[in-house]
Amino acid sequence: AIEHYEHTLTLDHDLHNAYLGLAKAYYQTKDYQRSETMMRRAIRYNDDKQTDKLYAAKLRFLKSLSE
C-alpha cells in the first residue's frame, strides 16, 4: 500500500487522502513517527475544517504513542 500511495503523490503531491493512506499504512507497520509526519501533511493539504478536526484528533493519538 505504501508504494501505491507514494506513486500517487508523485502524480499529485497535494492529495490529503493519499497522505492519510500513508499515515494508516505506516501506523500498521508501527512506524509511528512516519505516520505522524504523514498526518501533518494530510492536514496541510486538506481544505475542509471538519476533516481537519478529525485529522488533528488522529495526530494527537499518534503523538501520544511516541511519548
Side-chain angles (χ1 to χ4, degrees):
I2 291 172
E3 294 164 0
H4 293 288
Y5 287 119
E6 287 176 343
H7 176 69
T8 298
L9 290 168
T10 64
L11 302 173
D12 188 350
H13 75 280
D14 62 352
L15 292 173
H16 69 93
N17 287 328
Y19 288 112
L20 176 62
L22 277 172
K24 289 178 180 180
Y26 284 126
Y27 175 80
Q28 290 175 344
T29 64
K30 299 187 184 336
D31 189 342
Y32 302 127
Q33 186 173 7
R34 280 191 178 163
S35 182
E36 184 179 331
T37 299
M38 294 303 117
M39 280 307 306
R40 288 182 188 282
R41 290 181 186 170
I43 291 169
R44 182 184 324 150
Y45 291 109
N46 178 53
D47 59 1
D48 178 65
K49 290 185 183 206
Q50 192 64 25
T51 303
D52 271 348
K53 290 178 183 178
L54 178 64
Y55 286 178
K58 291 177 186 258
L59 182 58
R60 283 192 299 275
F61 172 73
L62 290 168
K63 284 183 175 181
S64 74
L65 294 176
S66 60
E67 293 176 346

